[in-house]
């Protein structure tokens, strides 16, 4: 019987079929962060339960850490330091590998897991973080869970789950110049709705997906959760294996032949199929308060929920391009890897952001990305253009109660969520690719990156 | 933790918006400790209060309406609980007293978090959600049915989730009954995929800034 990639990984991890229809699925890796991980570890300590295999559990400080150079445990978020010190103590007590605040390998969980070779093809990996789907780019089944489920995975080495359905999203044809993986996933969510992937594991396939580098594949899978999918994944190929070779936690005798079997059979049947013509895509920018409120940068704001129009302050029929901006943000697990920074810097090089932009940040996804960018002189390009160059972390991808954008700001952001208040109370967020963020920061208004050739 | 009250009789507070996200259910700034308590006060803070840093109630928000204050049931739209995986959203709802949410659909992580905390997620068609919103309903989890003004609406829920909620079963305890299966699976897998298990200890030099 022909099988999908998802079937292969699921079946290989099924420990038992439970009465009532769920499966008991073995979990190969758990990754925690200080915002939600401490709660899971604290509960384990309370109940006297222990980790089944601490060597396969990892943790990082990324969500609320300060991103200003010279940082320590102190945070701009009131009370944030407690999350850091409690997580550190709990990780030590449990024997978990921790990437601490000033570790040279520190970074956003979904950026450092691949960098460290912790996610590998064919593994199951869970984290109490919704963007764990990012790591599906490596042909792993990686998904976000809650703290209780994280505790379950750490104690039992398994999760109880109903088998999800399988969906294939094929991006046929090649992407036009100036159009990126971010635009692909935004176009999918805009077309199908933020609930379009519910109940499904989504395999991304097709010529335009094959053509993406690993960083762009991570961007594509990153927003599977905004599509309400259980997760996204991409069949591993030579590019995947080359990326992982030599990574600290990847096997030394690299490329298990098993990894080359990780693909959907040509005649595999998916529960649902979507085909998108990649060659017809344009740079996408969100206009409202859900990722489904997204249109091509050249389009006009459509009719949407009144609440979204009121919050964002844009009436139906308004052209999105030209909307004045107050701030710009390049960062997050969606778009903060070296390839993202290179593309944004190429647009900014030799130019200066508009005076209207009162705050502009670049927050590298990991300290390794930061070092690489500095070796290439990208930090100087960003600073000369008027961006602040930060240490790694989640930063203003979300508002934790400390640092914020100036009150009432309209922000162009390379992040993944444009919810009401996501980047601060009353802050209006437009999500887009790093190229679009760079071009818009130069223009001081939402702009088409194709008008700013590198 | 307590099991689901069977049956649950309460008025369903109407919150008929789509894509209500967990940042709105409990904003990050309201998560002040690593614990699971002290969250009810911050529930729906951006909508419930006027201004970000005040506790002045917004009279237009449904849970500030005397008819729905302390509501045990919320009637919601499509994709409820989307966004961040934070279980704090469910802990905040539970601490506030919410026992069931009836929605057109749920985000998957949020739905799992509900079940693990014995909060019932019920999916009904939009017209049915609209019909019960604002009315007193009787939720019978054993019968998988919601009754409102003489009409019964059937809903689906997996057997396992139903039993966990009805009897307050802990998922970890249930799974540990399969310890022998897990051990056998792991032993075989260790041979098939040694690279999953043989991880290098991090060297000291890799952690020095
Ligand atoms: S960068 Fe943003 S979306 Fe990604 S893990 Fe951090 S807070 Fe979540």
């Amino acid at each position: 019987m022909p099988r999908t990639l998802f079937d292969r990984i699921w079946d290989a991890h099924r420990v038992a079929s439970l009465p009532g229809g769920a499966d008991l699925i073995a979990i190969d890796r758990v990754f925690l962060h200080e915002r939600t991980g401490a709660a899971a570890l604290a509960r384990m300590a309370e109940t006297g339960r222990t980790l089944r295999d601490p060597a396969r559990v990892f943790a990082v400080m990324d969500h609320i850490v300060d991103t200003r150079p010279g940082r320590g445990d102190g945070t701009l978020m009131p009370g944030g330091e407690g999350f850091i010190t409690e997580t550190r103590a709990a990780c030590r007590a449990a024997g978990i590998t921790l990437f601490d605040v000033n570790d040279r390998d520190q970074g956003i969980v979904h950026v450092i897991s691949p960098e460290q070779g912790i996610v590998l093809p064919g593994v199951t990996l869970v984290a109490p973080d919704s963007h764990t789907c990012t790591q599906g780019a490596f042909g792993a089944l990686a998904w976000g869970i809650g703290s209780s489920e994280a505790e379950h995975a750490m104690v039992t080495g398994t999760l109880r789950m109903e088998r999800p359905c399988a969906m294939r999203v094929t991006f046929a044809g090649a992407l036009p110049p100036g159009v990126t993986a971010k635009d692909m996933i935004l176009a999918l969510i805009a077309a199908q709705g933020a609930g379009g992937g519910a109940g499904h594991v989504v395999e991304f396939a097709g010529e335009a997906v094959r053509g993406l580098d690993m960083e762009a594949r991570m961007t594509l899978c990153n927003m599977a959760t905004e599509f309400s999918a259980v997760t996204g994944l991409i069949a591993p190929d030579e590019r995947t294996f080359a990326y992982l070779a030599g990574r600290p936690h990847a096997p030394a005798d690299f490329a298990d032949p098993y990894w080359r079997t990780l693909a959907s059979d040509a005649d595999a049947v998916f529960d649902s199929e979507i085909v998108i013509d990649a060659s017809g895509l344009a740079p996408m920018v969100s206009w409202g308060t859900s990722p489904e409120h997204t249109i091509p940068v050249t389009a006009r704001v459509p009719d949407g929920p009144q609440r979204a129009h009121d919050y964002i302050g844009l009436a139906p029929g308004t052209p999105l391009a030209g909307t004045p901006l107050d701030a710009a943000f390049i960062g997050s697990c969606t778009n903060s890897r070296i390839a993202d920074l290179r593309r944004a810097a190429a647009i900014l090089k030799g130019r200066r952001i508009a005076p209207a932009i009162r705050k502009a940040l670049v927050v590298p996804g990991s300290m390794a990305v930061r070092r690489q960018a500095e070796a290439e002189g990208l930090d100087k390009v960003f600073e000369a253009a008027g961006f602040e160059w930060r240490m790694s972390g989640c930063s203003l991808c979300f508002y934790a109660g400390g640092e914020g954008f100036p009150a009432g700001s309209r922000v162009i952001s390379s992040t993944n969520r444009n919810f009401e208040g996501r980047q601060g109370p009353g802050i209006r967020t437009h999500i887009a690719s790093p190229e679009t963020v760079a071009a818009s920061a130069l223009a001081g208004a939402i702009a088409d990156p194709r008008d700013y050739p590198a | 933790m307590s099991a689901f009250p069977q049956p649950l009789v309460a008025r369903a507070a109407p919150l008929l918006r789509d894509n209500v996200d967990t940042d709105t259910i409990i904003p990050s700034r309201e998560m002040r400790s690593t614990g699971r308590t002290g969250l009810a006060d911050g529930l729906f803070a951006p909508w419930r209060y006027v201004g970000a840093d005040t506790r002045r109630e917004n009279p237009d928000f449904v849970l500030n309406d005397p008819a729905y204050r302390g509501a045990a049931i919320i009637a919601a739209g499509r994709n409820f609980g989307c966004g961040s995986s934070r279980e704090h959203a469910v802990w905040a709802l539970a601490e506030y007293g919410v026992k069931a949410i009836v929605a057109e659909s749920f985000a998957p992580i949020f739905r799992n978090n509900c079940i693990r905390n014995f909060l019932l997620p019920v999916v009904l068609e939009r017209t049915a959600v609209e019909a019960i919103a604002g009315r007193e309903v009787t939720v019978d989890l054993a019968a998988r049915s919601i009754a409102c003004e003489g009409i019964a609406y059937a809903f689906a829920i997996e057997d396992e989730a139903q039993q966990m909620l009805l009897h307050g079963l802990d998922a970890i305890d249930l799974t540990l009954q399969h310890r022998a299966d897990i051990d056998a699976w792991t032993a075989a897998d260790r041979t098939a995929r040694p690279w999953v298990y043989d991880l290098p200890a991090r060297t000291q030099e890799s952690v020095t800034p």
Side-chain angles (χ1 to χ4, degrees):
Chain A
M1 175 122 157
R3 290 194 296 166
T4 66
L5 170 58
F6 159 68
D7 291 331
R8 289 214 147 79
I9 304 176
W10 185 270
D11 294 347
H13 287 82
R14 186 169 41 218
V15 173
S17 298
L18 301 168
D23 286 336
L24 194 59
I25 295 298
I27 301 301
D28 296 325
R29 306 262 184 273
V30 178
F31 218 132
L32 307 174
H33 61 68
E34 85 282 21
R35 198 68 173 127
T36 53
L41 292 169
R43 171 60 71 91
M44 284 177 55
E46 262 167 57
T47 53
R49 287 166 169 155
T50 52
L51 280 78
R52 187 177 161 90
D53 187 357
R56 292 188 284 133
V57 180
F58 303 82
V60 65
M61 311 286 195
D62 60 357
H63 270 61
I64 55 174
V65 294
D66 193 357
T67 56
R68 294 170 307 176
R71 67 184 172 188
D73 290 353
T75 63
L76 291 165
M77 176 202 155
E81 189 169 346
F83 284 83
I84 291 174
T85 52
E86 283 177 46
T87 301
R88 179 181 298 130
C91 287
R92 284 214 180 111
I96 295 170
T97 299
L98 170 67
F99 299 91
D100 211 334
V101 179
N102 278 324
D103 192 306
R104 76 190 304 275
D105 295 327
Q106 183 270 350
I108 303 171
V109 47
H110 315 303
V111 177
I112 66 167
S113 177
E115 271 179 11
Q116 294 296 313
I118 291 168
V119 66
L120 293 167
V123 302
T124 49
L125 182 151
V126 295
D129 190 282
S130 55
H131 291 99
T132 308
C133 50
T134 312
Q135 305 183 44
F138 291 84
L141 203 57
W143 69 99
I145 52 174
S147 300
S148 296
E149 292 277 76
E151 192 189 334
H152 188 288
M154 289 190 283
V155 172
T156 70
T158 65
L159 284 177
R160 313 167 74 90
M161 273 181 85
E162 295 262 318
R163 187 190 188 105
C165 298
M167 175 188 289
R168 178 161 57 192
V169 174
T170 303
F171 286 94
L175 277 183
V179 182
T180 69
K182 181 67 159 284
D183 305 308
M184 292 164 72
I185 189 69
L186 285 172
L188 170 69
I189 297 167
Q192 303 290 326
H200 289 78
V201 167
V202 177
E203 180 176 345
F204 295 106
E207 183 191 340
V209 175
R210 286 282 136 233
L212 298 176
D213 60 28
M214 291 313 299
E215 282 131 335
R217 290 182 192 183
M218 285 186 254
T219 302
L220 185 63
C221 290
N222 175 270
M223 291 186 67
T225 189
E226 270 66 50
F227 190 43
S228 211
V230 175
T231 188
L233 83 172
I234 297 173
D237 59 14
E238 294 309 320
R239 232 175 231 178
T240 319
F241 307 143
Y243 177 100
L244 290 169
R247 302 275 169 182
H249 291 81
D253 52 346
F254 195 71
D256 189 308
Y258 166 66
W259 292 346
R260 297 184 193 278
T261 68
L262 292 168
S264 291
D265 294 323
D267 50 351
V269 178
F270 289 79
D271 300 292
S272 82
E273 292 251 22
I274 293 170
V275 179
I276 290 181
D277 173 17
S279 68
L281 296 180
M284 304 290 286
V285 181
S286 72
W287 65 262
T289 56
S290 160
E292 71 187 16
H293 300 155
T294 297
I295 53 176
V297 64
T298 48
R300 284 168 188 271
V301 174
D303 260 322
Q306 192 54 46
R307 217 189 141 77
H309 290 293
D310 291 347
Y311 184 86
I312 213 78
L314 292 175
T318 314
L320 197 53
T323 304
L325 295 165
D326 309 295
F329 182 82
I330 297 176
S332 89
C333 55
T334 319
N335 280 120
S336 64
R337 300 174 188 82
I338 190 67
D340 298 313
L341 301 192
R342 283 180 189 138
R343 295 195 315 271
I347 288 177
L348 293 171
K349 196 171 171 110
R351 295 173 169 144
R352 179 94 199 144
I353 61 174
I357 304 292
R358 288 181 286 157
K359 183 160 186 157
L361 295 185
V362 185
V363 188
S366 71
M367 292 308 288
V369 168
R370 184 178 147 103
R371 283 191 297 277
Q372 178 63 34
E374 288 178 348
E376 297 175 19
L378 304 185
D379 56 324
K380 296 285 175 286
V381 173
F382 285 117
E383 285 178 339
F387 275 83
E388 272 183 66
W389 178 244
R390 291 293 184 93
M391 308 288 273
S392 172
C394 295
S395 181
L396 279 174
C397 171
F398 77 114
Y399 179 69
E403 182 176 23
F405 290 106
S409 287
R410 185 183 292 283
V411 186
I412 184 90
S413 182
S414 75
T415 54
N416 45 47
R417 289 189 174 137
N418 55 338
F419 301 153
E420 282 183 29
R422 169 75 178 182
Q423 291 185 303
I427 301 295
R428 293 166 292 182
T429 300
H430 295 272
I431 49 179
S433 71
E435 288 86 331
T436 303
V437 174
S440 303
L442 293 174
I446 294 175
D448 189 332
R450 295 169 298 190
D451 296 339
Y452 291 79
Chain B
M1 210 174 295
S2 60
F4 183 77
Q6 173 67 7
L8 170 66
V9 183
R11 252 169 101 110
L15 187 65
L16 294 171
R17 296 178 189 167
D18 293 338
N19 301 314
V20 173
D21 63 85
T22 53
D23 283 70
T24 297
I25 298 172
I26 187 81
S28 191
R29 62 179 183 278
E30 299 286 347
M31 293 158 53
R32 298 200 172 90
S33 82
T34 58
R36 305 171 173 225
T37 52
L39 296 162
D41 195 44
L43 179 71
F44 290 117
W47 293 345
R48 196 164 144 209
Y49 306 116
V50 182
D53 299 311
T54 77
R55 284 293 190 248
R56 214 152 33 83
E57 287 186 357
N58 168 11
D60 297 335
F61 185 60
V62 58
L63 295 183
N64 293 330
D65 179 337
Y68 300 109
R69 194 177 285 275
I73 302 177
I74 290 177
R78 191 165 50 86
N79 201 26
F80 189 87
C82 63
S84 160
S85 65
R86 64 187 66 161
E87 198 161 320
H88 305 71
V90 173
W91 296 332
L93 285 159
E95 190 178 287
Y96 181 83
V98 175
K99 308 266 185 250
I101 300 168
V102 183
E104 214 183 323
S105 62
F106 290 93
I109 302 172
F110 178 85
R111 186 176 181 281
N112 268 333
N113 287 341
C114 283
I115 291 164
R116 290 287 175 262
N117 291 280
F118 310 115
L119 202 159
L120 176 65
V122 175
V123 174
L124 291 182
E125 304 229 325
R126 181 123 198 151
T127 49
V129 178
E130 283 168 358
I132 67 151
R135 307 220 151 71
E136 182 168 285
V137 301
T138 301
V139 183
D140 183 339
L141 174 54
R144 295 183 164 99
S145 168
I146 294 188
C148 177
E149 298 184 342
I151 303 175
Y153 303 90
F155 63 87
I157 185 166
E158 317 86 283
D159 293 346
E160 174 172 291
Q162 183 200 39
Q163 293 307 309
M164 282 185 171
L165 264 73
L166 282 175
H167 306 296
L169 302 177
D170 181 81
I172 294 178
D173 289 340
L174 289 182
T175 297
L176 289 176
Q177 295 171 6
H178 295 270
R179 199 189 299 245
D181 290 335
I182 300 170
D183 290 345
W185 187 93
T186 309
D189 190 51
R190 215 175 248 285
T191 316
R193 299 186 308 155
W195 47 269
V196 169
Y197 302 87
D198 301 335
L199 289 159
R202 289 185 83 215
T203 59
Q204 211 36 51
E205 105 214 54
S206 72
V207 300
T208 315

